[in-house]
Amino acid sequence: MKRMMLLAATLSLAAGPAAAQSLPDFMKQVIAAWNTPTEPFKVVDNIYYVGTNGLASYLITTPQGHILIDTVMPESTAQIEASIAKLGFKVADIKYIINTHAHIDHTGGLAQIKQETGAQMVAGAKDVPLLEGGFYPGREDQRYLNFPPVKVDRAVKEGDTVALGGVTLMAHETPGHSPGCTSWTTDVKDGDATRSVIFFCSATVALNQLVGRPTYPGIVDDYKKTYAWAKTVHPDILLAPHPEMYGMAEKRAKIADGAPNPFVKPGEFNAYLDKLEGQFNDGLAKQTAALQSGK
């Protein structure tokens, strides 16, 4: 767990691994934790967690078929499929596969599950070249970040929706972490209450270069737009690609019959994004200082 959190912190802050260690070697130390299995479970209403211990994947079920949001590392695709089956659902009934952003830890199984199910692949328009090329922008030559390419059937922009079996998911452009980073919102039932849910893409700096030779043109402005947008939305439930982003393990441990759903936590998303904005500003300042000093 400590190793997993260390890598998460590293990717979040774009600080890179210890100076004496290459990024590929550092990643090898913690990928095992990312790939550690965990039991699938119901988050709320028809939303289920079907990811690994360290990487999130969500199944939204409907009478007309299902929606899968994100996959995990390529070698752990079978875990997602086993989790779906364990919950009593069929992988073959997946009609849409949605990707929040085109990084290996959230795209590894997209191509395989799309091939097996014939589901439509949906992603943010500006991430389409990355998904279909299978690479991290600006690091195309670093093969350890590559993933199996997948054909995107539908590219979405702000306000577009995916509807199936009474469920409607709305796309929101939240770029920065990747060019086409896309968050999704929907409403669910929680007893007699209706709760708003956000499947947040991410807004960490990760491995991105912000200055000098940026990961992609306009990346700094994109991050700022995302942080500004985040201040205008106030979901009841925050879900995200990495479970530690919203304290999944701690909340899951509190699930109990008759008790309030621990995933309902208004204000959590906004507090989290305020924290990320501070980390972004710090990262931008450090990268700018390093560039100016020639380091």
Side-chain angles (χ1 to χ4, degrees), residues 6 16-29:
L6 181 58
Q21 205 174 23
S22 70
L23 181 59
D25 288 342
F26 184 69
M27 288 187 70
K28 288 178 183 178
Q29 293 182 22

Side-chain angles (χ1 to χ4, degrees), residues 73-281:
M73 295 293 289
E75 62 271 21
S76 294
T77 304
Q79 289 190 42
I80 292 178
E81 296 183 328
S83 291
I84 291 171
K86 186 173 286 188
L87 290 168
F89 303 109
K90 295 179 180 179
V91 173
D93 289 337
I94 295 173
K95 304 302 182 185
Y96 291 100
I97 306 170
I98 293 175
N99 179 236
T100 58
H101 61 284
H103 292 168
I104 185 173
D105 45 342
H106 312 294
T107 62
L110 297 178
Q112 179 178 328
I113 294 178
K114 174 179 166 63
Q115 181 179 23
E116 293 174 353
T117 64
Q120 286 194 37
M121 181 70 232
V122 182
K126 292 184 178 180
D127 268 5
V128 171
L130 310 183
L131 289 166
E132 296 189 342
F135 60 86
Y136 194 108
R139 296 174 180 262
E140 290 85 349
D141 60 334
Q142 298 180 8
R143 295 187 178 181
Y144 61 91
L145 296 176
N146 291 352
F147 52 88
V150 61
K151 175 66 177 177
V152 177
D153 299 299
R154 184 181 172 202
V156 295
K157 297 182 178 180
E158 179 69 36
D160 288 344
T161 60
V162 169
L164 180 70
V167 170
T168 299
L169 288 162
M170 179 173 287
H172 303 278
E173 295 178 349
T174 51
H177 191 70
S178 75
C181 205
T182 302
S183 299
W184 295 81
T185 56
T186 191
D187 290 332
V188 296
K189 295 298 293 184
D190 175 30
D192 294 331
T194 298
R195 308 293 188 186
S196 56
V197 180
I198 185 167
F199 296 90
F200 184 58
C201 175
S202 187
T204 63
V205 175
L207 301 177
N208 288 331
Q209 184 66 30
L210 304 176
V211 297
R213 297 178 64 183
T215 296
Y216 68 88
I219 188 171
V220 170
D221 286 342
D222 274 356
Y223 272 109
K224 291 180 178 180
K225 289 175 184 176
T226 292
Y227 295 127
W229 174 83
K231 293 177 172 61
T232 69
V233 293
H234 305 279
D236 297 313
I237 298 173
L238 165 63
L239 299 175
H242 289 270
E244 69 272 8
M245 289 178 168
Y246 60 99
M248 184 273 279
E250 295 82 1
K251 292 174 182 174
R252 177 179 181 173
K254 296 178 181 178
I255 295 175
D257 290 340
N261 189 312
F263 288 89
V264 177
K265 195 171 181 180
E268 179 180 31
F269 172 71
N270 305 96
Y272 176 59
L273 264 291
D274 286 345
K275 178 181 177 181
L276 291 189
E277 185 174 20
Q279 292 175 350
F280 165 79
N281 289 331

